[in-house]
């Protein structure tokens, strides 16, 4: 480890997961090209209330494990202001009505609850890794997908509010749209501990990929975007690496790298075909991460398509307060015998993973978002943690308040044609307003 002798330690650091609460407008409009689950479920009837309760259940589980848990709030949807920027005018209802009549596809985009997948909200470089010793957050522009590109403005506002203390945090706005940036979904941090100066791995695609059947899969993270984020965050050359995503994985439906790999402290938990150059990734880890452990699923036991269908690698890999690591897996991974038996072998082997926790986030999964997609990781020192706006941090009481609002206000179901119904527009707006009030936010703040 000669290369990383300048290791900075920030004692007592811990990682907070900020989950996106599933918004009241959650629906299946099939908006994401290259995301197989989103395409397969297009036109299905969604269950926003169940979806939000499932997500909240995962947050409660993390608290039960003794881990800190944060929340990011649903964005205002349907987004009449965005439609106004596209030339519709009048009151919110007039704008939404005109969009539904003239360009229903635009209204569908303005309706998406996709801000729930906060792994895509930003890329986060914790303080030990950066030149100025602050935690840097770069809002993702998500510009490859129309519905996701709408998120950056409201995400920026929320992150600026949550992490407003500039002694500890620097929040950067989104990059220009030409540089596709999908945030932490194509990013991994590996080091001795959350507190140690660590290696940040940025994973990018290299142009659209054509699958064997002729389908085109976009690469959503551009190399130049990752490089810009690394520069803005003040990462030393030795502290970061740019590695290409595997085209085979993209063509199999891994539109983000966090569908096929996840890292935590010393451990990389990955599919054999996750990276364009597997050997290069292994040698980077060996050279730059002391004690790196690679837990890899061989393709002959877990095919890529099985990994993507079950979202095995979209689990959260977390360090438990008592030591060791747990995998927070989607129920789909439990239900597949081949996956479960490989996981049992992982538990029995010599590595820090010693606990498997199953969560049910099926409503999100049906749009291509597993447990890891639903959270943004921010590792902080105790002082920085104390500077975070408390309203974004959860305890059981806050979860109870949120649950009451979801039960009372979130629609039970949304069918495709409901998107044109004024009653649903009003309901979504009122539901979000009730949530903000319950958590002590003014409408104008967000
Ligand atoms: O961007 N799905 C999201 C899923 C994001 C998953 N995030 C991570 N892997 N980190 C996406 O493709 C579907 C919405 C729809 O089709 O209505 C959607 O946007």
């Amino acid at each position: 480890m000669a290369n990383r002798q300048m290791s900075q330690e920030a004692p007592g650091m811990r990682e907070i997961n900020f989950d996106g609460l599933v918004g009241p407008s959650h629906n299946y409009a099939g908006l994401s090209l290259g995301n197989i689950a989103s395409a397969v479920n297009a036109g299905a009837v969604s269950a926003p209330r169940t979806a939000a309760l499932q997500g909240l259940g995962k947050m409660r589980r993390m608290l039960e494990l003794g881990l800190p848990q944060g929340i990011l709030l649903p964005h205002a949807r349907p987004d009449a202001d965005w439609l106004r920027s596209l030339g519709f005018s009048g009151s919110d209802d007039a704008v939404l009505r005109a969009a539904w009549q003239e360009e229903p596809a635009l209204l569908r985009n303005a309706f998406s609850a996709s801000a729930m997948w906060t792994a895509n909200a930003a890329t986060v470089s914790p303080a030990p890794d950066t030149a100025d010793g602050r935690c840097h957050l770069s809002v993702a522009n998500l510009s490859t997908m129309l519905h996701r590109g709408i998120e950056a403005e409201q995400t920026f506002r929320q992150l600026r509010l949550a992490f407003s203390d500039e002694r500890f945090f620097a929040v950067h706005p989104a990059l220009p749209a030409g540089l596709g940036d999908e945030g932490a979904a194509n990013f991994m941090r590996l080091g001795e501990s959350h507190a140690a100066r660590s290696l940040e791995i940025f994973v990018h695609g290299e142009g659209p990929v054509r699958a064997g059947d002729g389908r085109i899969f976009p690469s959503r993270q551009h190399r130049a975007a990752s490089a810009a984020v690394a520069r803005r965050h003040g990462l030393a050359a030795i502290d970061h690496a740019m590695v290409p995503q595997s085209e085979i994985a993209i063509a199999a439906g891994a539109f983000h790298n966090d569908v096929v790999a996840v890292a935590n402290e010393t451990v990389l938990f990955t599919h054999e075909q996750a990276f364009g150059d597997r050997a290069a990734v292994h040698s980077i880890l060996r050279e730059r991460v002391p004690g790196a452990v690679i837990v890899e699923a061989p393709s002959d036991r877990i095919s890529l398509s099985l990994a993507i269908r079950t979202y095995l690698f979209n689990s959260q890999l977390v360090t438990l307060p008592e030591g060791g690591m747990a995998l927070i897996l989607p129920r789909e991974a439990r239900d597949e015998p081949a996956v479960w038996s490989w996981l049992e072998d992982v538990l029995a082997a010599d590595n820090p993973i010693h606990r498997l926790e199953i969560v049910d986030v099926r409503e999100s999964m049906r749009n291509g978002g597993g447990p890891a997609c639903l959270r943004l990781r921010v590792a902080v020192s105790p002082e920085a943690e104390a500077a975070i706006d408390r309203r974004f941090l959860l305890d059981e009481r806050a979860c109870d308040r949120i649950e009451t609002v979801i039960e009372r206000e979130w629609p039970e179901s949304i069918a495709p044609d409901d998107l044109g119904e004024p009653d649903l527009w009003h309901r979504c707006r009122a539901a979000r307003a009730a949530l903000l009030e319950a958590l002590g936010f003014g409408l104008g703040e967000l």
Side-chain angles (χ1 to χ4, degrees):
M1 267 315 299
N3 292 335
R4 297 173 55 80
Q5 282 156 351
M6 293 173 52
S7 186
Q8 292 160 211
E9 278 279 339
M13 277 188 77
R14 58 180 190 164
E15 179 182 87
I16 308 178
N17 285 282
F18 288 82
D19 276 48
L21 183 68
V22 180
S25 71
H26 158 65
N27 71 95
Y28 297 118
L31 300 175
S32 255
L33 181 66
N35 171 340
I36 292 170
S38 153
V40 166
N41 293 301
V45 175
S46 68
R49 192 181 304 161
T50 303
L53 292 174
Q54 287 174 346
L56 187 64
K58 173 165 92 74
M59 299 182 224
R60 284 194 194 271
R61 183 73 67 85
M62 300 293 278
L63 288 171
E64 282 160 17
L65 289 172
L67 299 164
Q69 181 63 48
I71 189 166
L72 292 173
L73 304 165
H75 292 188
R77 295 285 182 271
D79 193 337
D81 286 340
W82 180 71
L83 291 167
R84 243 177 230 111
S85 77
L86 300 177
F88 297 101
S89 57
S91 66
D92 282 1
D93 278 10
V95 163
L96 299 169
R97 199 173 309 113
W100 184 241
Q101 276 159 13
E102 292 170 35
E103 298 268 14
L106 288 182
L107 183 66
R108 283 187 205 105
N109 279 273
F111 234 104
S112 175
S114 54
M116 73 177 84
W117 298 297
T118 51
N120 301 118
T123 306
V124 182
S125 296
D129 306 350
T130 66
D132 66 5
R134 293 188 297 166
C135 174
H136 285 249
L137 302 93
S138 272
V139 173
N141 61 27
L142 291 165
S143 58
T144 306
M145 298 289 153
L146 186 59
H147 67 294
R148 301 227 55 187
I150 307 171
E151 293 168 39
E153 202 181 311
Q154 290 185 49
T155 298
F156 185 55
R157 249 183 276 151
Q158 275 197 53
L159 295 184
R160 282 273 290 249
L161 196 58
F163 305 103
S164 63
D165 192 328
E166 293 182 358
R167 288 173 305 157
F168 300 106
F169 301 105
V171 181
H172 304 268
L175 295 169
L179 303 176
D181 179 21
E182 303 273 323
N186 292 289
F187 173 88
M188 298 179 300
R189 179 172 186 253
L190 284 125
E192 284 176 89
S193 69
H194 293 310
R197 180 170 159 184
S198 297
L199 175 69
E200 300 196 358
I201 298 187
F202 293 78
V203 191
H204 59 272
E206 290 180 329
V209 176
R210 183 184 288 274
D213 59 7
R215 278 184 300 170
I216 302 287
F217 290 80
S219 294
R220 293 166 60 166
Q221 181 73 35
H222 300 175
R223 189 185 194 288
S226 300
V229 170
R231 269 192 302 275
R232 297 208 295 194
H233 291 191
L235 303 180
I238 191 69
D239 286 332
H240 71 284
M242 301 283 163
V243 309
Q245 223 173 330
S246 135
E247 296 205 347
I248 303 169
I250 295 176
F255 51 93
H256 290 137
N257 191 251
D258 68 1
V259 173
V260 283
V262 61
N264 183 57
E265 297 187 324
T266 51
V267 178
L268 172 65
F269 181 67
T270 180
H271 190 271
E272 185 183 354
Q273 292 170 294
F275 303 102
D277 187 344
R278 169 177 175 269
V281 172
H282 287 206
S283 88
I284 289 169
L285 292 191
R286 269 195 307 273
E287 278 165 27
R288 301 207 220 163
V289 181
V293 177
I294 300 174
V295 179
E296 184 183 77
S299 310
D300 58 7
R301 267 195 87 173
I302 309 284
S303 68
L304 256 185
S305 70
L306 182 59
I308 291 168
R309 187 155 40 80
T310 59
Y311 265 38
L312 160 63
F313 296 99
N314 199 255
S315 45
Q316 288 175 244
L317 183 55
V318 295
T319 303
L320 297 167
E322 66 271 25
M325 296 187 193
L327 270 174
I328 317 295
L329 293 145
R331 151 184 160 197
E332 287 73 2
R334 174 76 186 85
D335 292 344
E336 189 58 62
V339 168
W340 195 251
S341 87
W342 180 69
L343 282 168
E344 284 175 334
D345 290 352
V346 169
L347 275 193
D350 182 21
N351 68 63
I353 303 171
H354 67 75
R355 184 167 177 159
L356 306 178
E357 289 282 326
I358 308 298
V359 292
D360 182 358
V361 289
R362 180 152 293 181
E363 279 286 312
S364 165
M365 287 279 289
R366 296 180 77 212
N367 251 336
C373 300
L374 286 161
R375 61 91 174 93
L376 181 69
R377 314 161 84 168
V378 186
V380 282
S381 65
E383 297 74 30
E385 183 173 341
I388 298 172
D389 186 323
R390 311 314 295 163
R391 295 172 297 181
F392 291 96
L393 294 172
L394 294 182
D395 56 18
E396 281 303 325
R397 289 215 328 279
C399 291
D400 293 345
R401 281 201 301 278
I402 295 168
E403 185 164 334
T404 305
V405 176
I406 295 169
E407 295 276 14
R408 196 181 59 219
E409 306 278 350
W410 259 234
E412 204 175 332
S413 65
I414 299 183
D417 283 345
D418 294 343
L419 302 192
E421 293 295 331
D423 279 354
L424 182 63
W425 310 339
H426 303 157
R427 180 130 200 224
C428 289
R429 228 176 281 149
R432 178 171 178 272
L435 176 74
L436 298 194
E437 196 189 336
L439 295 177
F441 291 99
L443 266 183
E445 272 186 296
L446 298 171

